[in-house]
Structures are given as C-alpha cells and as structure tokens.
Amino acid sequence: MLNSNPNKVQLFALPPLALYIHFPWCEKKCPYCDFNSHQVKDVKENQHPQGFDEARYINALIADLETELPRTWGRQVHSIFIGGGTPSLLSPKGMDDLLCAVRARIHLEPGAEITMEANPGSVEADKFSAFAKSGINRVSLGIQSFQDQQLKALGRIHNGDEAKRAIAIALEHFKSVNIDLMYGLPKQTLAAAKADIEAALSFKTPHLSLYNLTLEPNTYFASFPPSLPSEDEIDAIFDQNLELLNKAGYKRYEVSAYAKKDQECKHNLNYWRFGDYIGIGAGAHGKISFPDKITRQVRERHPESYIQAMETKGMALIESREVPAKDLPFEFMLNTLRLTDGVQTKTFSERTGLPLNVIAQRLAQASKKGLLDDNPALLKGTDQGLRYLNNLQEIFLG
C-alpha cells in the first residue's frame, strides 16, 4: 500500500527502535566541544567521590525511560548507545545497575549492540573488565590525535602514550572498538595527519571515525579560533586519509565513519536510515514514529535541572512535538544522504509515511547538478555530492 496524500503521514510499518542514554559529565570541557557536557565539580566541594551524584542521576534515567514505555510498548530495542560527556566516569556498579534496570523495562534484542563512549584519561583495565561483564560490547574511544602537541592544543587530558594504552585495554575486553580521530587540527601538516592515521591503523580496530575539526558556535574555539590548515590543505589531508584507510581494508560507509566488513555501527546506522530512538538523560533528543505521525522530544539540558524535573514532576521534557509533514523530506535527507551507499528509494516512503512525488522535483534538481546518483532505485549522493553534502541537503530544505 502507498500513501498518495502529500500532507498526511501514513506509516504501514514502524522503523527499528534504539535507545540513547546521555551522560552529561566529563573531566574537562574541550575547547572545540559543543555537546551537552559539563565539567565535574571538585570532589571536596561536591561531597561525591566522582564529583557528581551518580545514584540520583541513574534513578532519574530509569524514571525517564519509564515515561517513554507507553509510547513504545511492545517494540523491540535493537541497540543502546551511552554517550556524553564521558560515560566511562560511571562506576562499574553504577553501569551495572543502569543496564540491569534498562533490561528489566525494555524488550532488548538478543546480542544487541551496546556502545559506551570513553576518553583515554578515564580508562582503567579493571573498570573496562567490569563494564564488559555488565553487557557493554562496543566502546568508542575519543582519541582525536596521538601527538602530544596536538592533544594539548585540543585541550585533551591524555597524552599519546595513554591513548595507545587505552586502545590496547579496550581491545582486550570488548567485541568491537571504535577510534575517534580528528584532522584539520591547528597547524597540522600532511605528514602529521599521516602519522595519526598510521598509528590508529596499527591497532586494527574494526571501526574508525574521522572528523574534520570545525569551529562550532558557543565554544571556546569559536571565540578564540586557533590557526587551522587552509581548505586546500584539509582536502589534501582528507584524500590522503581516505587512500590509507582504503588500503587497510576500511570502507567509508558514512561521511565520517569507516569500518571493516560487517563492522559498521548499528546504532548510528539506525539514525542515518531515519530510524526511531528513545533519548533519555540531560539534553537528550528522541524520535518516535506512530502510524499517523512522527514526533520529536528534547529533555532539560542542565544535569541538575534534569534531575530535579524528574524528581519533582516525573518528566523532564522541554519540547515534545509532531514533525510537520513539510519538514520530513529534509529531515530524512539530512540523515540518509550521509551514507555513501545511500538508501533504497522506497525507504523514503517507508520511513516518512509520505509519497515519493513530494520530492520528485528536488531529486531531479539534485541529479542535474551532479550531486545525486541518477539510479532511480537509490537515494545516493555522488562523490561530488558527498564532498559538497551541505549543498545537496539544502536542496530538500523547506
């Protein structure tokens, strides 16, 4: 069955469902970071061993999850991602309590991918062993660079040796390990970028994420910008990185993500394929579909405000809205066009509940500009479209 009404959402099957859990604290706020992260308070001042009230926050998370259950009842959760901040600051008991509570409340797919983000400065072998026993089977390490000078410029609390040690420990304990690296760093040369990639490749992790450093609004770097390589230099670094990764057997499957065969991040693929996700925790976003609408939610951003809202009102939503049908094409394309293989054309109607003809004119426009593959069975950016992704995505705006 197909929906022929361009102004009405009509989903005949709901998309896969994931769970995102936000942990808002980190040991130090990095100057480039625009995520919802807050530096932990001094332990003496805060009266908590870790600088934050772990028990209160976990209780708030569990209560938050329970508010979402009526909206997702009976649906299986395919993956969990614990992001931050630095979730590895949680104690082993805290992580175990959290995951046990989650499993007791949702229908989690057997063998589901459960990812935790970690920074090298917070990595301890005993702690990682305990996290693995709690059910974490994938870890994403915020390495960014292996060079001490660059790490210092990025405001990181670890050095190159600690980064390498963290990867080695993670590989001992987890089924899958991702390394986050940045390029286009302050005064970075082609040779320095190559050294970073080669250091990462030496560990043969199944997944690598490679991000171009950008100056995001409301960050320290936005106010006090460092000296970054020119656009031509950044393009040369990217081309060099892509060649090295291809030779090492990594496929670029998303704009910033590279994986060995069958090692893609399932949780992130769900985002990029316009799947659904419950989002709990301070500042977390969620997307939940129903047969006749698609909704989005946003939680209280500050950790204390979030906890207090859950404790006093039993809810921490600051926004809960139905996405207008006219906005769905752009939201869909914003995600799916990041994938190098794109998605099948039929996925548009399956995930938005709208007929394909609402974007037919824009598809033709993007194809004519050489930004979109002309295969009618695929919605896929060309090499040029991926390089100028913002220009491709903007065609579907409004």
Side-chain angles (χ1 to χ4, degrees), residues 172-194:
E172 287 179 12
H173 295 288
F174 300 102
K175 179 181 176 182
S176 184
V177 175
N178 169 62
I179 294 175
D180 272 353
L181 281 183
M182 285 185 166
Y183 68 97
L185 304 179
K187 300 180 181 178
Q188 188 178 45
T189 64
L190 200 60
K194 184 179 182 181

mmCIF file with all atom_site columns, all heavy atoms in Angstrom, residues 172-194:
data_model
loop_
_atom_site.group_PDB
_atom_site.id
_atom_site.type_symbol
_atom_site.label_atom_id
_atom_site.label_alt_id
_atom_site.label_comp_id
_atom_site.label_asym_id
_atom_site.label_entity_id
_atom_site.label_seq_id
_atom_site.pdbx_PDB_ins_code
_atom_site.Cartn_x
_atom_site.Cartn_y
_atom_site.Cartn_z
_atom_site.occupancy
_atom_site.B_iso_or_equiv
_atom_site.pdbx_formal_charge
_atom_site.auth_seq_id
_atom_site.auth_comp_id
_atom_site.auth_asym_id
_atom_site.auth_atom_id
_atom_site.pdbx_PDB_model_num
ATOM 1   N N   . GLU A 1 172 ? 41.202 -5.738 24.573 1.00 0.00 ? 172 GLU A N   1
ATOM 2   C CA  . GLU A 1 172 ? 41.225 -6.945 25.397 1.00 0.00 ? 172 GLU A CA  1
ATOM 3   C C   . GLU A 1 172 ? 39.837 -7.321 25.924 1.00 0.00 ? 172 GLU A C   1
ATOM 4   O O   . GLU A 1 172 ? 39.568 -8.486 26.204 1.00 0.00 ? 172 GLU A O   1
ATOM 5   C CB  . GLU A 1 172 ? 42.162 -6.749 26.593 1.00 0.00 ? 172 GLU A CB  1
ATOM 6   C CG  . GLU A 1 172 ? 43.637 -6.750 26.248 1.00 0.00 ? 172 GLU A CG  1
ATOM 7   C CD  . GLU A 1 172 ? 44.490 -6.539 27.481 1.00 0.00 ? 172 GLU A CD  1
ATOM 8   O OE1 . GLU A 1 172 ? 43.939 -6.621 28.606 1.00 0.00 ? 172 GLU A OE1 1
ATOM 9   O OE2 . GLU A 1 172 ? 45.699 -6.278 27.335 1.00 0.00 ? 172 GLU A OE2 1
ATOM 10  N N   . HIS A 1 173 ? 38.962 -6.303 26.049 1.00 0.00 ? 173 HIS A N   1
ATOM 11  C CA  . HIS A 1 173 ? 37.720 -6.523 26.786 1.00 0.00 ? 173 HIS A CA  1
ATOM 12  C C   . HIS A 1 173 ? 36.441 -6.439 25.950 1.00 0.00 ? 173 HIS A C   1
ATOM 13  O O   . HIS A 1 173 ? 35.401 -6.941 26.380 1.00 0.00 ? 173 HIS A O   1
ATOM 14  C CB  . HIS A 1 173 ? 37.621 -5.523 27.938 1.00 0.00 ? 173 HIS A CB  1
ATOM 15  C CG  . HIS A 1 173 ? 38.681 -5.713 28.983 1.00 0.00 ? 173 HIS A CG  1
ATOM 16  N ND1 . HIS A 1 173 ? 38.674 -6.773 29.859 1.00 0.00 ? 173 HIS A ND1 1
ATOM 17  C CD2 . HIS A 1 173 ? 39.796 -4.988 29.266 1.00 0.00 ? 173 HIS A CD2 1
ATOM 18  C CE1 . HIS A 1 173 ? 39.726 -6.688 30.657 1.00 0.00 ? 173 HIS A CE1 1
ATOM 19  N NE2 . HIS A 1 173 ? 40.425 -5.628 30.323 1.00 0.00 ? 173 HIS A NE2 1
ATOM 20  N N   . PHE A 1 174 ? 36.496 -5.797 24.783 1.00 0.00 ? 174 PHE A N   1
ATOM 21  C CA  . PHE A 1 174 ? 35.261 -5.547 24.050 1.00 0.00 ? 174 PHE A CA  1
ATOM 22  C C   . PHE A 1 174 ? 35.284 -6.168 22.655 1.00 0.00 ? 174 PHE A C   1
ATOM 23  O O   . PHE A 1 174 ? 36.322 -6.205 21.989 1.00 0.00 ? 174 PHE A O   1
ATOM 24  C CB  . PHE A 1 174 ? 34.989 -4.044 23.953 1.00 0.00 ? 174 PHE A CB  1
ATOM 25  C CG  . PHE A 1 174 ? 34.838 -3.391 25.290 1.00 0.00 ? 174 PHE A CG  1
ATOM 26  C CD1 . PHE A 1 174 ? 35.881 -2.653 25.833 1.00 0.00 ? 174 PHE A CD1 1
ATOM 27  C CD2 . PHE A 1 174 ? 33.683 -3.552 26.039 1.00 0.00 ? 174 PHE A CD2 1
ATOM 28  C CE1 . PHE A 1 174 ? 35.762 -2.059 27.081 1.00 0.00 ? 174 PHE A CE1 1
ATOM 29  C CE2 . PHE A 1 174 ? 33.543 -2.974 27.286 1.00 0.00 ? 174 PHE A CE2 1
ATOM 30  C CZ  . PHE A 1 174 ? 34.594 -2.228 27.810 1.00 0.00 ? 174 PHE A CZ  1
ATOM 31  N N   . LYS A 1 175 ? 34.116 -6.616 22.245 1.00 0.00 ? 175 LYS A N   1
ATOM 32  C CA  . LYS A 1 175 ? 33.957 -7.250 20.944 1.00 0.00 ? 175 LYS A CA  1
ATOM 33  C C   . LYS A 1 175 ? 34.302 -6.285 19.814 1.00 0.00 ? 175 LYS A C   1
ATOM 34  O O   . LYS A 1 175 ? 34.885 -6.678 18.800 1.00 0.00 ? 175 LYS A O   1
ATOM 35  C CB  . LYS A 1 175 ? 32.503 -7.734 20.807 1.00 0.00 ? 175 LYS A CB  1
ATOM 36  C CG  . LYS A 1 175 ? 32.172 -8.404 19.495 1.00 0.00 ? 175 LYS A CG  1
ATOM 37  C CD  . LYS A 1 175 ? 30.698 -8.812 19.483 1.00 0.00 ? 175 LYS A CD  1
ATOM 38  C CE  . LYS A 1 175 ? 30.297 -9.409 18.138 1.00 0.00 ? 175 LYS A CE  1
ATOM 39  N NZ  . LYS A 1 175 ? 28.857 -9.757 18.110 1.00 0.00 ? 175 LYS A NZ  1
ATOM 40  N N   . SER A 1 176 ? 33.944 -5.014 19.976 1.00 0.00 ? 176 SER A N   1
ATOM 41  C CA  . SER A 1 176 ? 34.202 -4.020 18.941 1.00 0.00 ? 176 SER A CA  1
ATOM 42  C C   . SER A 1 176 ? 34.727 -2.738 19.564 1.00 0.00 ? 176 SER A C   1
ATOM 43  O O   . SER A 1 176 ? 34.270 -2.329 20.643 1.00 0.00 ? 176 SER A O   1
ATOM 44  C CB  . SER A 1 176 ? 32.920 -3.729 18.150 1.00 0.00 ? 176 SER A CB  1
ATOM 45  O OG  . SER A 1 176 ? 33.181 -2.840 17.077 1.00 0.00 ? 176 SER A OG  1
ATOM 46  N N   . VAL A 1 177 ? 35.681 -2.120 18.890 1.00 0.00 ? 177 VAL A N   1
ATOM 47  C CA  . VAL A 1 177 ? 36.284 -0.875 19.378 1.00 0.00 ? 177 VAL A CA  1
ATOM 48  C C   . VAL A 1 177 ? 36.329 0.130  18.235 1.00 0.00 ? 177 VAL A C   1
ATOM 49  O O   . VAL A 1 177 ? 36.741 -0.193 17.116 1.00 0.00 ? 177 VAL A O   1
ATOM 50  C CB  . VAL A 1 177 ? 37.711 -1.105 19.925 1.00 0.00 ? 177 VAL A CB  1
ATOM 51  C CG1 . VAL A 1 177 ? 38.368 0.221  20.325 1.00 0.00 ? 177 VAL A CG1 1
ATOM 52  C CG2 . VAL A 1 177 ? 37.685 -2.059 21.112 1.00 0.00 ? 177 VAL A CG2 1
ATOM 53  N N   . ASN A 1 178 ? 35.888 1.346  18.514 1.00 0.00 ? 178 ASN A N   1
ATOM 54  C CA  . ASN A 1 178 ? 35.991 2.451  17.560 1.00 0.00 ? 178 ASN A CA  1
ATOM 55  C C   . ASN A 1 178 ? 36.996 3.468  18.082 1.00 0.00 ? 178 ASN A C   1
ATOM 56  O O   . ASN A 1 178 ? 37.049 3.762  19.277 1.00 0.00 ? 178 ASN A O   1
ATOM 57  C CB  . ASN A 1 178 ? 34.631 3.135  17.377 1.00 0.00 ? 178 ASN A CB  1
ATOM 58  C CG  . ASN A 1 178 ? 34.766 4.449  16.599 1.00 0.00 ? 178 ASN A CG  1
ATOM 59  O OD1 . ASN A 1 178 ? 35.191 4.459  15.449 1.00 0.00 ? 178 ASN A OD1 1
ATOM 60  N ND2 . ASN A 1 178 ? 34.436 5.567  17.239 1.00 0.00 ? 178 ASN A ND2 1
ATOM 61  N N   . ILE A 1 179 ? 37.799 4.011  17.172 1.00 0.00 ? 179 ILE A N   1
ATOM 62  C CA  . ILE A 1 179 ? 38.712 5.101  17.490 1.00 0.00 ? 179 ILE A CA  1
ATOM 63  C C   . ILE A 1 179 ? 38.183 6.365  16.831 1.00 0.00 ? 179 ILE A C   1
ATOM 64  O O   . ILE A 1 179 ? 37.967 6.393  15.615 1.00 0.00 ? 179 ILE A O   1
ATOM 65  C CB  . ILE A 1 179 ? 40.132 4.807  16.972 1.00 0.00 ? 179 ILE A CB  1
ATOM 66  C CG1 . ILE A 1 179 ? 40.744 3.608  17.703 1.00 0.00 ? 179 ILE A CG1 1
ATOM 67  C CG2 . ILE A 1 179 ? 41.034 6.029  17.134 1.00 0.00 ? 179 ILE A CG2 1
ATOM 68  C CD1 . ILE A 1 179 ? 42.101 3.185  17.152 1.00 0.00 ? 179 ILE A CD1 1
ATOM 69  N N   . ASP A 1 180 ? 37.962 7.404  17.614 1.00 0.00 ? 180 ASP A N   1
ATOM 70  C CA  . ASP A 1 180 ? 37.620 8.734  17.094 1.00 0.00 ? 180 ASP A CA  1
ATOM 71  C C   . ASP A 1 180 ? 38.906 9.515  16.856 1.00 0.00 ? 180 ASP A C   1
ATOM 72  O O   . ASP A 1 180 ? 39.710 9.685  17.779 1.00 0.00 ? 180 ASP A O   1
ATOM 73  C CB  . ASP A 1 180 ? 36.768 9.513  18.103 1.00 0.00 ? 180 ASP A CB  1
ATOM 74  C CG  . ASP A 1 180 ? 35.282 9.244  17.948 1.00 0.00 ? 180 ASP A CG  1
ATOM 75  O OD1 . ASP A 1 180 ? 34.902 8.562  16.990 1.00 0.00 ? 180 ASP A OD1 1
ATOM 76  O OD2 . ASP A 1 180 ? 34.515 9.723  18.793 1.00 0.00 ? 180 ASP A OD2 1
ATOM 77  N N   . LEU A 1 181 ? 39.106 9.984  15.625 1.00 0.00 ? 181 LEU A N   1
ATOM 78  C CA  . LEU A 1 181 ? 40.244 10.837 15.290 1.00 0.00 ? 181 LEU A CA  1
ATOM 79  C C   . LEU A 1 181 ? 39.742 12.123 14.661 1.00 0.00 ? 181 LEU A C   1
ATOM 80  O O   . LEU A 1 181 ? 38.682 12.151 14.046 1.00 0.00 ? 181 LEU A O   1
ATOM 81  C CB  . LEU A 1 181 ? 41.172 10.141 14.293 1.00 0.00 ? 181 LEU A CB  1
ATOM 82  C CG  . LEU A 1 181 ? 42.154 9.073  14.785 1.00 0.00 ? 181 LEU A CG  1
ATOM 83  C CD1 . LEU A 1 181 ? 43.010 8.598  13.616 1.00 0.00 ? 181 LEU A CD1 1
ATOM 84  C CD2 . LEU A 1 181 ? 43.026 9.585  15.907 1.00 0.00 ? 181 LEU A CD2 1
ATOM 85  N N   . MET A 1 182 ? 40.535 13.180 14.796 1.00 0.00 ? 182 MET A N   1
ATOM 86  C CA  . MET A 1 182 ? 40.240 14.443 14.127 1.00 0.00 ? 182 MET A CA  1
ATOM 87  C C   . MET A 1 182 ? 41.361 14.780 13.144 1.00 0.00 ? 182 MET A C   1
ATOM 88  O O   . MET A 1 182 ? 42.518 14.379 13.343 1.00 0.00 ? 182 MET A O   1
ATOM 89  C CB  . MET A 1 182 ? 40.121 15.573 15.151 1.00 0.00 ? 182 MET A CB  1
ATOM 90  C CG  . MET A 1 182 ? 38.837 15.569 15.949 1.00 0.00 ? 182 MET A CG  1
ATOM 91  S SD  . MET A 1 182 ? 38.760 17.027 17.025 1.00 0.00 ? 182 MET A SD  1
ATOM 92  C CE  . MET A 1 182 ? 37.045 16.971 17.488 1.00 0.00 ? 182 MET A CE  1
ATOM 93  N N   . TYR A 1 183 ? 41.010 15.512 12.109 1.00 0.00 ? 183 TYR A N   1
ATOM 94  C CA  . TYR A 1 183 ? 42.020 16.031 11.194 1.00 0.00 ? 183 TYR A CA  1
ATOM 95  C C   . TYR A 1 183 ? 41.715 17.499 10.919 1.00 0.00 ? 183 TYR A C   1
ATOM 96  O O   . TYR A 1 183 ? 40.673 18.019 11.336 1.00 0.00 ? 183 TYR A O   1
ATOM 97  C CB  . TYR A 1 183 ? 42.090 15.216 9.899  1.00 0.00 ? 183 TYR A CB  1
ATOM 98  C CG  . TYR A 1 183 ? 40.872 15.330 8.998  1.00 0.00 ? 183 TYR A CG  1
ATOM 99  C CD1 . TYR A 1 183 ? 40.843 16.212 7.928  1.00 0.00 ? 183 TYR A CD1 1
ATOM 100 C CD2 . TYR A 1 183 ? 39.746 14.539 9.211  1.00 0.00 ? 183 TYR A CD2 1
ATOM 101 C CE1 . TYR A 1 183 ? 39.744 16.313 7.095  1.00 0.00 ? 183 TYR A CE1 1
ATOM 102 C CE2 . TYR A 1 183 ? 38.633 14.619 8.391  1.00 0.00 ? 183 TYR A CE2 1
ATOM 103 C CZ  . TYR A 1 183 ? 38.644 15.510 7.327  1.00 0.00 ? 183 TYR A CZ  1
ATOM 104 O OH  . TYR A 1 183 ? 37.537 15.611 6.518  1.00 0.00 ? 183 TYR A OH  1
ATOM 105 N N   . GLY A 1 184 ? 42.642 18.179 10.261 1.00 0.00 ? 184 GLY A N   1
ATOM 106 C CA  . GLY A 1 184 ? 42.497 19.625 10.094 1.00 0.00 ? 184 GLY A CA  1
ATOM 107 C C   . GLY A 1 184 ? 42.753 20.333 11.418 1.00 0.00 ? 184 GLY A C   1
ATOM 108 O O   . GLY A 1 184 ? 42.151 21.359 11.714 1.00 0.00 ? 184 GLY A O   1
ATOM 109 N N   . LEU A 1 185 ? 43.670 19.771 12.209 1.00 0.00 ? 185 LEU A N   1
ATOM 110 C CA  . LEU A 1 185 ? 43.965 20.299 13.537 1.00 0.00 ? 185 LEU A CA  1
ATOM 111 C C   . LEU A 1 185 ? 44.854 21.541 13.443 1.00 0.00 ? 185 LEU A C   1
ATOM 112 O O   . LEU A 1 185 ? 45.441 21.814 12.386 1.00 0.00 ? 185 LEU A O   1
ATOM 113 C CB  . LEU A 1 185 ? 44.652 19.217 14.377 1.00 0.00 ? 185 LEU A CB  1
ATOM 114 C CG  . LEU A 1 185 ? 43.889 17.892 14.513 1.00 0.00 ? 185 LEU A CG  1
ATOM 115 C CD1 . LEU A 1 185 ? 44.680 16.901 15.356 1.00 0.00 ? 185 LEU A CD1 1
ATOM 116 C CD2 . LEU A 1 185 ? 42.525 18.127 15.120 1.00 0.00 ? 185 LEU A CD2 1
ATOM 117 N N   . PRO A 1 186 ? 44.962 22.316 14.527 1.00 0.00 ? 186 PRO A N   1
ATOM 118 C CA  . PRO A 1 186 ? 45.784 23.535 14.488 1.00 0.00 ? 186 PRO A CA  1
ATOM 119 C C   . PRO A 1 186 ? 47.191 23.277 13.939 1.00 0.00 ? 186 PRO A C   1
ATOM 120 O O   . PRO A 1 186 ? 47.916 22.419 14.450 1.00 0.00 ? 186 PRO A O   1
ATOM 121 C CB  . PRO A 1 186 ? 45.827 23.964 15.955 1.00 0.00 ? 186 PRO A CB  1
ATOM 122 C CG  . PRO A 1 186 ? 44.530 23.477 16.522 1.00 0.00 ? 186 PRO A CG  1
ATOM 123 C CD  . PRO A 1 186 ? 44.281 22.167 15.829 1.00 0.00 ? 186 PRO A CD  1
ATOM 124 N N   . LYS A 1 187 ? 47.500 23.969 12.840 1.00 0.00 ? 187 LYS A N   1
ATOM 125 C CA  . LYS A 1 187 ? 48.831 23.908 12.206 1.00 0.00 ? 187 LYS A CA  1
ATOM 126 C C   . LYS A 1 187 ? 49.224 22.490 11.773 1.00 0.00 ? 187 LYS A C   1
ATOM 127 O O   . LYS A 1 187 ? 50.398 22.169 11.610 1.00 0.00 ? 187 LYS A O   1
ATOM 128 C CB  . LYS A 1 187 ? 49.897 24.481 13.145 1.00 0.00 ? 187 LYS A CB  1
ATOM 129 C CG  . LYS A 1 187 ? 49.661 25.936 13.527 1.00 0.00 ? 187 LYS A CG  1
ATOM 130 C CD  . LYS A 1 187 ? 50.741 26.454 14.458 1.00 0.00 ? 187 LYS A CD  1
ATOM 131 C CE  . LYS A 1 187 ? 50.474 27.898 14.834 1.00 0.00 ? 187 LYS A CE  1
ATOM 132 N NZ  . LYS A 1 187 ? 51.490 28.430 15.780 1.00 0.00 ? 187 LYS A NZ  1
ATOM 133 N N   . GLN A 1 188 ? 48.238 21.613 11.560 1.00 0.00 ? 188 GLN A N   1
ATOM 134 C CA  . GLN A 1 188 ? 48.535 20.233 11.189 1.00 0.00 ? 188 GLN A CA  1
ATOM 135 C C   . GLN A 1 188 ? 49.097 20.145 9.773  1.00 0.00 ? 188 GLN A C   1
ATOM 136 O O   . GLN A 1 188 ? 48.589 20.760 8.844  1.00 0.00 ? 188 GLN A O   1
ATOM 137 C CB  . GLN A 1 188 ? 47.287 19.363 11.293 1.00 0.00 ? 188 GLN A CB  1
ATOM 138 C CG  . GLN A 1 188 ? 47.554 17.870 11.108 1.00 0.00 ? 188 GLN A CG  1
ATOM 139 C CD  . GLN A 1 188 ? 46.289 17.043 11.264 1.00 0.00 ? 188 GLN A CD  1
ATOM 140 O OE1 . GLN A 1 188 ? 45.239 17.385 10.735 1.00 0.00 ? 188 GLN A OE1 1
ATOM 141 N NE2 . GLN A 1 188 ? 46.384 15.948 12.017 1.00 0.00 ? 188 GLN A NE2 1
ATOM 142 N N   . THR A 1 189 ? 50.147 19.370 9.613  1.00 0.00 ? 189 THR A N   1
ATOM 143 C CA  . THR A 1 189 ? 50.745 19.135 8.308  1.00 0.00 ? 189 THR A CA  1
ATOM 144 C C   . THR A 1 189 ? 50.247 17.807 7.742  1.00 0.00 ? 189 THR A C   1
ATOM 145 O O   . THR A 1 189 ? 49.669 16.986 8.452  1.00 0.00 ? 189 THR A O   1
ATOM 146 C CB  . THR A 1 189 ? 52.275 19.077 8.410  1.00 0.00 ? 189 THR A CB  1
ATOM 147 O OG1 . THR A 1 189 ? 52.636 17.944 9.215  1.00 0.00 ? 189 THR A OG1 1
ATOM 148 C CG2 . THR A 1 189 ? 52.836 20.354 9.019  1.00 0.00 ? 189 THR A CG2 1
ATOM 149 N N   . LEU A 1 190 ? 50.509 17.606 6.460  1.00 0.00 ? 190 LEU A N   1
ATOM 150 C CA  . LEU A 1 190 ? 50.148 16.360 5.795  1.00 0.00 ? 190 LEU A CA  1
ATOM 151 C C   . LEU A 1 190 ? 50.865 15.182 6.458  1.00 0.00 ? 190 LEU A C   1
ATOM 152 O O   . LEU A 1 190 ? 50.268 14.119 6.689  1.00 0.00 ? 190 LEU A O   1
ATOM 153 C CB  . LEU A 1 190 ? 50.511 16.453 4.314  1.00 0.00 ? 190 LEU A CB  1
ATOM 154 C CG  . LEU A 1 190 ? 49.822 15.503 3.334  1.00 0.00 ? 190 LEU A CG  1
ATOM 155 C CD1 . LEU A 1 190 ? 48.311 15.702 3.339  1.00 0.00 ? 190 LEU A CD1 1
ATOM 156 C CD2 . LEU A 1 190 ? 50.371 15.717 1.914  1.00 0.00 ? 190 LEU A CD2 1
ATOM 157 N N   . ALA A 1 191 ? 52.127 15.380 6.818  1.00 0.00 ? 191 ALA A N   1
ATOM 158 C CA  . ALA A 1 191 ? 52.904 14.308 7.440  1.00 0.00 ? 191 ALA A CA  1
ATOM 159 C C   . ALA A 1 191 ? 52.374 13.976 8.830  1.00 0.00 ? 191 ALA A C   1
ATOM 160 O O   . ALA A 1 191 ? 52.300 12.802 9.214  1.00 0.00 ? 191 ALA A O   1
ATOM 161 C CB  . ALA A 1 191 ? 54.379 14.721 7.527  1.00 0.00 ? 191 ALA A CB  1
ATOM 162 N N   . ALA A 1 192 ? 51.979 14.996 9.586  1.00 0.00 ? 192 ALA A N   1
ATOM 163 C CA  . ALA A 1 192 ? 51.460 14.764 10.933 1.00 0.00 ? 192 ALA A CA  1
ATOM 164 C C   . ALA A 1 192 ? 50.119 14.031 10.879 1.00 0.00 ? 192 ALA A C   1
ATOM 165 O O   . ALA A 1 192 ? 49.856 13.134 11.695 1.00 0.00 ? 192 ALA A O   1
ATOM 166 C CB  . ALA A 1 192 ? 51.310 16.091 11.675 1.00 0.00 ? 192 ALA A CB  1
ATOM 167 N N   . ALA A 1 193 ? 49.278 14.395 9.921  1.00 0.00 ? 193 ALA A N   1
ATOM 168 C CA  . ALA A 1 193 ? 47.988 13.715 9.757  1.00 0.00 ? 193 ALA A CA  1
ATOM 169 C C   . ALA A 1 193 ? 48.207 12.255 9.374  1.00 0.00 ? 193 ALA A C   1
ATOM 170 O O   . ALA A 1 193 ? 47.494 11.360 9.855  1.00 0.00 ? 193 ALA A O   1
ATOM 171 C CB  . ALA A 1 193 ? 47.153 14.432 8.694  1.00 0.00 ? 193 ALA A CB  1
ATOM 172 N N   . LYS A 1 194 ? 49.189 11.997 8.528  1.00 0.00 ? 194 LYS A N   1
ATOM 173 C CA  . LYS A 1 194 ? 49.501 10.627 8.125  1.00 0.00 ? 194 LYS A CA  1
ATOM 174 C C   . LYS A 1 194 ? 49.976 9.805  9.318  1.00 0.00 ? 194 LYS A C   1
ATOM 175 O O   . LYS A 1 194 ? 49.593 8.638  9.480  1.00 0.00 ? 194 LYS A O   1
ATOM 176 C CB  . LYS A 1 194 ? 50.567 10.631 7.025  1.00 0.00 ? 194 LYS A CB  1
ATOM 177 C CG  . LYS A 1 194 ? 50.884 9.247  6.488  1.00 0.00 ? 194 LYS A CG  1
ATOM 178 C CD  . LYS A 1 194 ? 51.930 9.315  5.368  1.00 0.00 ? 194 LYS A CD  1
ATOM 179 C CE  . LYS A 1 194 ? 52.212 7.930  4.796  1.00 0.00 ? 194 LYS A CE  1
ATOM 180 N NZ  . LYS A 1 194 ? 53.243 7.968  3.732  1.00 0.00 ? 194 LYS A NZ  1
#
